[in-house]
Amino acid sequence: MFAILLEHYKGKWPFWLSPRQAIVCPVSEKSQAYGLKVRDLLHDAGYYVDADLSDRKIDKKVREAQLAQYNYILVVGEKEAVTGQVSVRVRDKAEHSVMNTEDLLTHFKAEIAAYH
């Protein structure tokens, strides 16, 4: 069954099955605390979320997350930390949006509910 799923999805796991559902990428050291807060909030809600706290530039962090096939890449900077929002990039789409953490949790729940 695992081989069939792997072949069907070509390694790009759907959100409900993915071991890499989301990654939080802080823009700078100043936004790392907020990035960890977002990661912990999503993790406590039951999602698989990582955080890239390296000192690389944000473009490199996003590119690495895309190559690792994360479903969602959540970019946080000082502006997002002040407003309580995250910049959301979806793995297979070029556009990105900004939403608050409550809306993001609602979106994640709806995406998982669509598969059950």
Short mmCIF file of all heavy atoms in Angstrom, two decimals, residues 9-47:
data_model
loop_
_atom_site.label_atom_id
_atom_site.label_comp_id
_atom_site.label_asym_id
_atom_site.label_seq_id
_atom_site.Cartn_x
_atom_site.Cartn_y
_atom_site.Cartn_z
N TYR A 9 1.31 9.74 -5.48
CA TYR A 9 1.58 11.13 -5.11
C TYR A 9 2.94 11.62 -5.57
O TYR A 9 3.27 12.79 -5.38
CB TYR A 9 1.44 11.32 -3.60
CG TYR A 9 0.01 11.23 -3.13
CD1 TYR A 9 -0.40 10.19 -2.30
CD2 TYR A 9 -0.93 12.16 -3.52
CE1 TYR A 9 -1.71 10.10 -1.86
CE2 TYR A 9 -2.24 12.08 -3.10
CZ TYR A 9 -2.62 11.05 -2.27
OH TYR A 9 -3.92 10.97 -1.84
N LYS A 10 3.76 10.77 -6.13
CA LYS A 10 5.09 11.12 -6.65
C LYS A 10 5.95 11.82 -5.59
O LYS A 10 6.68 12.75 -5.88
CB LYS A 10 4.96 11.99 -7.89
CG LYS A 10 4.27 11.29 -9.04
CD LYS A 10 4.13 12.21 -10.23
CE LYS A 10 3.47 11.51 -11.38
NZ LYS A 10 2.04 11.35 -11.29
N GLY A 11 5.83 11.37 -4.35
CA GLY A 11 6.63 11.91 -3.27
C GLY A 11 6.11 13.20 -2.68
O GLY A 11 6.63 13.70 -1.70
N LYS A 12 5.06 13.78 -3.28
CA LYS A 12 4.46 15.01 -2.77
C LYS A 12 3.21 14.62 -1.98
O LYS A 12 2.11 14.61 -2.50
CB LYS A 12 4.11 15.96 -3.90
CG LYS A 12 5.32 16.48 -4.62
CD LYS A 12 4.93 17.49 -5.67
CE LYS A 12 6.17 18.05 -6.35
NZ LYS A 12 5.84 19.10 -7.28
N TRP A 13 3.43 14.28 -0.71
CA TRP A 13 2.36 13.79 0.14
C TRP A 13 1.28 14.83 0.35
O TRP A 13 1.57 16.01 0.51
CB TRP A 13 2.91 13.37 1.49
CG TRP A 13 3.91 12.27 1.40
CD1 TRP A 13 5.25 12.38 1.57
CD2 TRP A 13 3.67 10.90 1.08
NE1 TRP A 13 5.85 11.15 1.40
CE2 TRP A 13 4.90 10.23 1.09
CE3 TRP A 13 2.51 10.18 0.80
CZ2 TRP A 13 5.01 8.88 0.83
CZ3 TRP A 13 2.63 8.83 0.54
CH2 TRP A 13 3.87 8.20 0.56
N PRO A 14 0.02 14.40 0.38
CA PRO A 14 -1.05 15.34 0.72
C PRO A 14 -0.91 15.77 2.17
O PRO A 14 -0.28 15.09 2.98
CB PRO A 14 -2.33 14.53 0.49
CG PRO A 14 -1.90 13.11 0.62
CD PRO A 14 -0.48 13.05 0.15
N PHE A 15 -1.51 16.88 2.51
CA PHE A 15 -1.35 17.47 3.84
C PHE A 15 -1.70 16.50 4.95
O PHE A 15 -0.99 16.40 5.94
CB PHE A 15 -2.22 18.73 3.94
CG PHE A 15 -2.07 19.46 5.24
CD1 PHE A 15 -0.93 20.19 5.50
CD2 PHE A 15 -3.06 19.42 6.20
CE1 PHE A 15 -0.77 20.86 6.70
CE2 PHE A 15 -2.91 20.09 7.39
CZ PHE A 15 -1.77 20.81 7.64
N TRP A 16 -2.78 15.75 4.81
CA TRP A 16 -3.24 14.86 5.88
C TRP A 16 -2.29 13.70 6.14
O TRP A 16 -2.31 13.10 7.20
CB TRP A 16 -4.64 14.33 5.58
CG TRP A 16 -4.73 13.48 4.36
CD1 TRP A 16 -4.92 13.92 3.07
CD2 TRP A 16 -4.60 12.07 4.27
NE1 TRP A 16 -4.93 12.87 2.20
CE2 TRP A 16 -4.73 11.71 2.91
CE3 TRP A 16 -4.38 11.06 5.21
CZ2 TRP A 16 -4.66 10.40 2.47
CZ3 TRP A 16 -4.31 9.74 4.76
CH2 TRP A 16 -4.47 9.42 3.41
N LEU A 17 -1.42 13.37 5.17
CA LEU A 17 -0.53 12.23 5.29
C LEU A 17 0.95 12.63 5.44
O LEU A 17 1.79 11.83 5.83
CB LEU A 17 -0.69 11.35 4.03
CG LEU A 17 0.06 10.05 3.94
CD1 LEU A 17 -0.35 9.12 5.08
CD2 LEU A 17 -0.23 9.39 2.60
N SER A 18 1.25 13.86 5.18
CA SER A 18 2.63 14.32 5.10
C SER A 18 3.35 14.36 6.46
O SER A 18 2.79 14.83 7.45
CB SER A 18 2.66 15.73 4.51
OG SER A 18 3.99 16.20 4.43
N PRO A 19 4.59 13.88 6.49
CA PRO A 19 5.39 14.02 7.71
C PRO A 19 6.02 15.41 7.80
O PRO A 19 6.64 15.75 8.80
CB PRO A 19 6.47 12.95 7.55
CG PRO A 19 6.61 12.80 6.07
CD PRO A 19 5.25 13.05 5.50
N ARG A 20 5.85 16.20 6.76
CA ARG A 20 6.36 17.58 6.72
C ARG A 20 5.22 18.50 6.31
O ARG A 20 5.21 19.05 5.22
CB ARG A 20 7.51 17.68 5.73
CG ARG A 20 8.72 16.92 6.16
CD ARG A 20 9.84 17.05 5.17
NE ARG A 20 11.05 16.47 5.73
CZ ARG A 20 12.14 16.28 5.06
NH1 ARG A 20 12.21 16.63 3.79
NH2 ARG A 20 13.20 15.75 5.64
N GLN A 21 4.30 18.69 7.23
CA GLN A 21 3.12 19.49 6.91
C GLN A 21 3.44 20.97 6.76
O GLN A 21 2.92 21.63 5.86
CB GLN A 21 2.04 19.28 7.96
CG GLN A 21 1.46 17.88 7.90
CD GLN A 21 0.44 17.62 8.98
OE1 GLN A 21 0.59 18.07 10.12
NE2 GLN A 21 -0.60 16.89 8.62
N ALA A 22 4.27 21.51 7.64
CA ALA A 22 4.57 22.94 7.58
C ALA A 22 5.94 23.20 8.19
O ALA A 22 6.43 22.44 9.02
CB ALA A 22 3.51 23.75 8.31
N ILE A 23 6.51 24.32 7.77
CA ILE A 23 7.77 24.80 8.37
C ILE A 23 7.63 26.30 8.56
O ILE A 23 7.08 27.01 7.72
CB ILE A 23 9.00 24.45 7.51
CG1 ILE A 23 10.28 24.85 8.24
CG2 ILE A 23 8.91 25.06 6.13
CD1 ILE A 23 11.55 24.31 7.61
N VAL A 24 8.11 26.77 9.69
CA VAL A 24 8.12 28.20 9.99
C VAL A 24 9.52 28.72 9.71
O VAL A 24 10.51 28.18 10.21
CB VAL A 24 7.74 28.46 11.47
CG1 VAL A 24 7.77 29.94 11.78
CG2 VAL A 24 6.37 27.88 11.78
N CYS A 25 9.60 29.76 8.90
CA CYS A 25 10.88 30.36 8.52
C CYS A 25 10.92 31.81 8.97
O CYS A 25 10.36 32.69 8.31
CB CYS A 25 11.08 30.29 7.00
SG CYS A 25 11.16 28.63 6.34
N PRO A 26 11.57 32.11 10.10
CA PRO A 26 11.72 33.50 10.52
C PRO A 26 12.65 34.25 9.57
O PRO A 26 13.66 33.71 9.10
CB PRO A 26 12.34 33.40 11.91
CG PRO A 26 12.10 31.99 12.35
CD PRO A 26 12.06 31.18 11.09
N VAL A 27 12.32 35.50 9.28
CA VAL A 27 13.11 36.31 8.37
C VAL A 27 14.45 36.67 8.99
O VAL A 27 15.47 36.67 8.30
CB VAL A 27 12.33 37.59 7.98
CG1 VAL A 27 13.19 38.53 7.17
CG2 VAL A 27 11.07 37.22 7.20
N SER A 28 14.45 36.98 10.28
CA SER A 28 15.68 37.37 10.95
C SER A 28 15.66 36.86 12.39
O SER A 28 14.69 36.27 12.86
CB SER A 28 15.83 38.89 10.94
OG SER A 28 14.85 39.48 11.77
N GLU A 29 16.75 37.13 13.07
CA GLU A 29 16.86 36.71 14.47
C GLU A 29 15.81 37.39 15.35
O GLU A 29 15.35 36.83 16.33
CB GLU A 29 18.27 37.06 14.98
CG GLU A 29 18.71 36.21 16.14
CD GLU A 29 20.18 36.45 16.47
OE1 GLU A 29 21.03 36.15 15.62
OE2 GLU A 29 20.43 36.96 17.58
N LYS A 30 15.40 38.60 14.95
CA LYS A 30 14.41 39.35 15.72
C LYS A 30 13.04 38.68 15.71
O LYS A 30 12.25 38.88 16.62
CB LYS A 30 14.28 40.77 15.16
CG LYS A 30 15.53 41.60 15.32
CD LYS A 30 15.37 42.95 14.67
CE LYS A 30 16.66 43.75 14.75
NZ LYS A 30 16.55 45.02 14.03
N SER A 31 12.75 37.91 14.68
CA SER A 31 11.43 37.28 14.57
C SER A 31 11.46 35.79 14.95
O SER A 31 10.46 35.10 14.80
CB SER A 31 10.87 37.46 13.16
OG SER A 31 11.78 37.00 12.20
N GLN A 32 12.60 35.30 15.46
CA GLN A 32 12.69 33.89 15.82
C GLN A 32 11.76 33.51 16.98
O GLN A 32 11.16 32.44 16.96
CB GLN A 32 14.13 33.51 16.17
CG GLN A 32 14.99 33.28 14.96
CD GLN A 32 16.37 32.76 15.33
OE1 GLN A 32 16.70 32.61 16.50
NE2 GLN A 32 17.17 32.49 14.31
N ALA A 33 11.63 34.37 17.95
CA ALA A 33 10.76 34.07 19.09
C ALA A 33 9.32 33.91 18.64
O ALA A 33 8.62 32.98 19.06
CB ALA A 33 10.87 35.16 20.15
N TYR A 34 8.87 34.79 17.74
CA TYR A 34 7.51 34.67 17.23
C TYR A 34 7.38 33.41 16.37
O TYR A 34 6.36 32.72 16.42
CB TYR A 34 7.13 35.91 16.42
CG TYR A 34 5.74 35.82 15.84
CD1 TYR A 34 4.62 35.79 16.66
CD2 TYR A 34 5.54 35.74 14.47
CE1 TYR A 34 3.34 35.68 16.14
CE2 TYR A 34 4.28 35.63 13.93
CZ TYR A 34 3.17 35.61 14.77
OH TYR A 34 1.91 35.49 14.24
N GLY A 35 8.40 33.09 15.59
CA GLY A 35 8.39 31.88 14.78
C GLY A 35 8.23 30.63 15.63
O GLY A 35 7.48 29.72 15.30
N LEU A 36 8.95 30.58 16.75
CA LEU A 36 8.83 29.45 17.67
C LEU A 36 7.44 29.39 18.31
O LEU A 36 6.90 28.31 18.53
CB LEU A 36 9.91 29.52 18.75
CG LEU A 36 11.33 29.27 18.24
CD1 LEU A 36 12.34 29.53 19.35
CD2 LEU A 36 11.46 27.86 17.71
N LYS A 37 6.87 30.56 18.58
CA LYS A 37 5.52 30.62 19.15
C LYS A 37 4.51 30.04 18.16
O LYS A 37 3.63 29.26 18.54
CB LYS A 37 5.18 32.07 19.49
CG LYS A 37 3.81 32.27 20.07
CD LYS A 37 3.57 33.74 20.37
CE LYS A 37 2.13 33.98 20.78
NZ LYS A 37 1.82 35.40 20.91
N VAL A 38 4.64 30.41 16.88
CA VAL A 38 3.74 29.88 15.85
C VAL A 38 3.93 28.38 15.71
O VAL A 38 2.97 27.62 15.63
CB VAL A 38 3.98 30.60 14.50
CG1 VAL A 38 3.24 29.91 13.36
CG2 VAL A 38 3.58 32.07 14.59
N ARG A 39 5.19 27.94 15.68
CA ARG A 39 5.47 26.50 15.58
C ARG A 39 4.82 25.74 16.73
O ARG A 39 4.17 24.71 16.54
CB ARG A 39 6.97 26.23 15.58
CG ARG A 39 7.28 24.74 15.44
CD ARG A 39 8.64 24.37 15.88
NE ARG A 39 8.79 24.65 17.32
CZ ARG A 39 9.93 24.56 17.97
NH1 ARG A 39 11.04 24.24 17.34
NH2 ARG A 39 9.99 24.82 19.26
N ASP A 40 4.99 26.23 17.95
CA ASP A 40 4.44 25.56 19.12
C ASP A 40 2.91 25.54 19.09
O ASP A 40 2.29 24.54 19.46
CB ASP A 40 4.94 26.22 20.41
CG ASP A 40 6.43 26.02 20.62
OD1 ASP A 40 7.02 25.14 19.96
OD2 ASP A 40 7.01 26.78 21.42
N LEU A 41 2.30 26.64 18.64
CA LEU A 41 0.85 26.71 18.55
C LEU A 41 0.31 25.64 17.59
O LEU A 41 -0.63 24.92 17.92
CB LEU A 41 0.43 28.10 18.07
CG LEU A 41 -1.06 28.28 17.78
CD1 LEU A 41 -1.82 28.43 19.08
CD2 LEU A 41 -1.28 29.49 16.88
N LEU A 42 0.94 25.53 16.42
CA LEU A 42 0.49 24.54 15.44
C LEU A 42 0.80 23.12 15.89
O LEU A 42 0.00 22.21 15.69
CB LEU A 42 1.14 24.83 14.08
CG LEU A 42 0.75 26.15 13.44
CD1 LEU A 42 1.58 26.41 12.20
CD2 LEU A 42 -0.73 26.18 13.11
N HIS A 43 1.96 22.95 16.51
CA HIS A 43 2.34 21.62 17.00
C HIS A 43 1.38 21.16 18.09
O HIS A 43 0.97 19.99 18.12
CB HIS A 43 3.78 21.64 17.51
CG HIS A 43 4.30 20.28 17.85
ND1 HIS A 43 4.20 19.77 19.12
CD2 HIS A 43 4.88 19.33 17.09
CE1 HIS A 43 4.72 18.56 19.14
NE2 HIS A 43 5.13 18.26 17.92
N ASP A 44 1.02 22.06 18.99
CA ASP A 44 0.09 21.73 20.06
C ASP A 44 -1.30 21.39 19.53
O ASP A 44 -2.06 20.68 20.18
CB ASP A 44 0.00 22.87 21.08
CG ASP A 44 1.29 23.04 21.88
OD1 ASP A 44 2.13 22.11 21.86
OD2 ASP A 44 1.45 24.10 22.51
N ALA A 45 -1.62 21.90 18.34
CA ALA A 45 -2.90 21.60 17.71
C ALA A 45 -2.87 20.25 16.98
O ALA A 45 -3.87 19.81 16.43
CB ALA A 45 -3.29 22.70 16.74
N GLY A 46 -1.68 19.61 16.95
CA GLY A 46 -1.59 18.27 16.39
C GLY A 46 -0.98 18.17 15.00
O GLY A 46 -1.10 17.14 14.35
N TYR A 47 -0.31 19.21 14.56
CA TYR A 47 0.29 19.20 13.22
C TYR A 47 1.80 19.01 13.30
O TYR A 47 2.42 19.36 14.31
CB TYR A 47 -0.05 20.49 12.48
CG TYR A 47 -1.54 20.67 12.33
CD1 TYR A 47 -2.24 21.55 13.15
CD2 TYR A 47 -2.25 19.92 11.41
CE1 TYR A 47 -3.60 21.69 13.05
CE2 TYR A 47 -3.63 20.06 11.30
CZ TYR A 47 -4.29 20.94 12.12
OH TYR A 47 -5.65 21.06 12.02
#
